[in-house]
C-alpha cells in the first residue's frame, strides 16, 4: 500500500493498539498514537493479555523499563499475537546493557516480530556485531547497521527499521531510506519509543514493510514541521503532536527514498 493510503486507512479505522511500553514513554506514546489517528491501550498485566491482545489491531512491545513480571507479560503478548495472527512490533531498548535485558530481547526476537525497530547500536548488537551504544543512545551510524538489519530481516522474516538522522527500512529483499525530521528530536525523551507504538497502528492498517515506511515518514514530516515553530525541546513536543495530527496523507511519500 502507498503511504498515503495507509494513513487514510489508519484514520478511517482508528485501530486499537496494545502498547506494552516503559514508564518513561507511556504518556508520550499514547499521545502520539492518538494524534496520528489511532487508539492506544497501555495494558501490561499478564492476567489480561490472553483476553486483550486478540481484540487489538496490533501489539507493541518496548523493553525500556523491563522487569521479570513485565518480561512475562511481553512474552505472553508476543505468543498470543502470533497465535491470533495479530501483527506485533518489538523495540529492544538498550538490550545490550545487562544479561537479563539481553535474554529478554533474544527470547522476544525468537518469536519473530512482524517489525523490529531500534537504533543502529541496538540492531547491530542483536545481529551479534560490536557497537558503540551507550545506554539507550546509539553510538553508531545508521549506515553501519544496514547489513545487520538485512541479516536479521532474512533470519527472522521480519521488517527491520533502523532509526536515526536518515532511517533505514528493510525486509531483507527490499530497502528504503526516510529523510527529514529535526535535530531536536533526540533531545525529547521517549519519541523513539512512541514511534514504536505508532508503528503498531500502521501495522494494523496494512502490510508490514509499507507500515514501517509510512510510520517513519509520518515522524519525519511531523518533525520537520514542528522544528519550524519550536524554540527548543519543550515547545517541540507540543508542536510535534500538532504536526502529527495535521500531516496529510499526500505528504508522506516525499520523505521516502526507495
Amino acid at each position: 500500500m502507498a503511504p498515503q493510503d495507509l494513513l487514510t486507512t489508519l484514520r478511517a479505522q482508528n485501530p486499537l493498539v496494545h502498547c506494552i511500553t516503559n514508564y518513561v514513554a507511556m504518556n508520550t506514546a499514547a499521545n502520539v498514537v492518538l494524534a496520528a489517528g489511532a487508539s492506544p491501550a497501555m495494558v501490561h498485566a499478564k492476567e489480561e493479555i490472553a483476553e486483550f491482545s486478540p481484540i487489538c489491531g496490533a501489539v507493541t512491545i518496548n523493553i525500556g523499563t523491563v522487569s521479570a513480571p513485565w518480561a512475562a507479560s511481553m512474552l505472553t503478548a508476543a505468543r498470543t499475537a502470533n497465535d491470533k495472527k495479530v501483527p506485533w512490533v518489538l523495540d529492544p531498548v538498550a538490550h545490550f546493557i545487562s544479561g537479563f535485558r539481553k535474554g529478554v530481547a533474544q527470547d522476544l526476537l525468537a518469536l519473530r516480530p512482524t517489525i523490529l525497530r531500534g537504533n543502529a547500536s541496538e540492531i547491530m548488537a542483536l545481529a551479534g556485531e560490536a557497537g558503540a551504544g551507550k545506554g539507550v543512545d546509539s553510538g553508531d551510524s545508521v549506515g553501519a547497521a544496514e547489513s545487520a538489519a538485512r541479516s536479521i530481516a532474512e533470519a527472522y522474516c521480519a521488517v527491520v527499521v533502523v532509526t536515526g538522522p536518515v532511517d533505514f527500512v528493510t525486509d531483507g529483499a527490499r530497502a528504503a531510506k526516510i529523510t527529514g525530521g529535526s535535530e531536536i528530536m533526540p533531545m525529547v525523551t521517549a519519541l523513539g519509543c512512541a514511534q514504536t507504538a505508532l508503528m503498531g497502528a500502521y501495522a494494523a492498517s496494512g502490510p508490514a514493510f509499507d507500515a514501517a515506511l509510512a510510520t517513519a515518514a509520518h515522524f519525519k514530516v511531523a518533525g520537520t514541521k514542528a522544528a519550524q515553530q519550536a524554540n527548543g525541546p519543550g515547545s517541540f513536543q507540543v508542536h510535534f503532536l500538532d504536526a502529527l495530527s495535521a500531516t496529510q496523507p499526500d505528504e508522506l511519500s516525499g520523505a521516502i527514498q526507495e
Side-chain angles (χ1 to χ4, degrees), residues 242-258:
D242 288 346
L244 282 172
S245 179
T247 294
Q248 297 304 303
D250 61 3
E251 296 181 83
L252 300 189
S253 58
I256 300 172
Q257 301 175 357
E258 296 188 78

Side-chain angles (χ1 to χ4, degrees), residues 124-177:
M124 291 172 68
L126 272 182
E129 299 181 11
K134 183 176 70 174
V136 300
D137 298 321
S138 179
D140 301 285
S141 69
V142 172
E146 288 185 12
S147 62
R150 292 180 189 275
S151 67
I152 293 172
E154 292 172 357
Y156 293 94
C157 299
V159 172
V160 180
V161 183
V162 187
T163 54
V166 176
D167 297 339
F168 178 74
V169 178
T170 184
D171 62 1
R174 297 171 290 175
K177 295 182 178 180

Side-chain angles (χ1 to χ4, degrees), residues 150-235:
R150 292 180 189 275
S151 67
I152 293 172
E154 292 172 357
Y156 293 94
C157 299
V159 172
V160 180
V161 183
V162 187
T163 54
V166 176
D167 297 339
F168 178 74
V169 178
T170 184
D171 62 1
R174 297 171 290 175
K177 295 182 178 180
I178 304 90
T179 60
S182 166
E183 293 179 353
I184 301 175
M185 296 177 81
M187 300 168 66
V188 180
T189 190
L191 278 193
C193 301
Q195 187 182 51
T196 298
L198 182 57
M199 208 161 278
Y202 272 101
S205 305
F209 184 77
D210 302 329
L213 289 181
T215 307
H218 199 163
F219 252 58
K220 294 295 192 187
V221 170
T224 299
K225 288 183 177 183
Q228 293 169 355
Q229 302 180 68
N231 294 315
S235 57

Side-chain angles (χ1 to χ4, degrees), residues 21-236:
T21 192
N22 64 75
Y23 295 117
V24 179
M26 283 186 184
N27 184 69
T28 302
N31 281 328
V32 161
V33 172
L34 285 168
S39 179
M42 285 24 206
V43 175
H44 63 265
K46 183 180 178 182
E47 293 79 6
E48 295 185 289
I49 302 296
E51 295 175 83
F52 186 70
S53 293
I55 68 172
C56 296
V59 173
T60 66
I61 298 174
N62 175 301
I63 69 168
T65 52
V66 67
S67 62
W70 279 50
S73 294
M74 292 170 181
L75 290 165
T76 299
R79 294 187 184 106
T80 301
N82 285 343
D83 290 344
K84 302 298 182 181
K85 300 189 180 341
V86 174
W88 67 284
V89 184
L90 173 61
D91 190 340
V93 179
H95 65 90
F96 46 76
I97 67 172
S98 71
F100 169 67
R101 186 179 292 262
K102 179 179 179 180
V104 172
Q106 291 291 346
D107 288 345
L108 287 165
L109 181 61
L111 293 173
R112 296 178 177 258
T114 310
I115 302 174
L116 170 69
R117 191 212 74 87
N119 65 36
S121 296
E122 290 163 347
I123 298 302
M124 291 172 68
L126 272 182
E129 299 181 11
K134 183 176 70 174
V136 300
D137 298 321
S138 179
D140 301 285
S141 69
V142 172
E146 288 185 12
S147 62
R150 292 180 189 275
S151 67
I152 293 172
E154 292 172 357
Y156 293 94
C157 299
V159 172
V160 180
V161 183
V162 187
T163 54
V166 176
D167 297 339
F168 178 74
V169 178
T170 184
D171 62 1
R174 297 171 290 175
K177 295 182 178 180
I178 304 90
T179 60
S182 166
E183 293 179 353
I184 301 175
M185 296 177 81
M187 300 168 66
V188 180
T189 190
L191 278 193
C193 301
Q195 187 182 51
T196 298
L198 182 57
M199 208 161 278
Y202 272 101
S205 305
F209 184 77
D210 302 329
L213 289 181
T215 307
H218 199 163
F219 252 58
K220 294 295 192 187
V221 170
T224 299
K225 288 183 177 183
Q228 293 169 355
Q229 302 180 68
N231 294 315
S235 57
F236 183 89

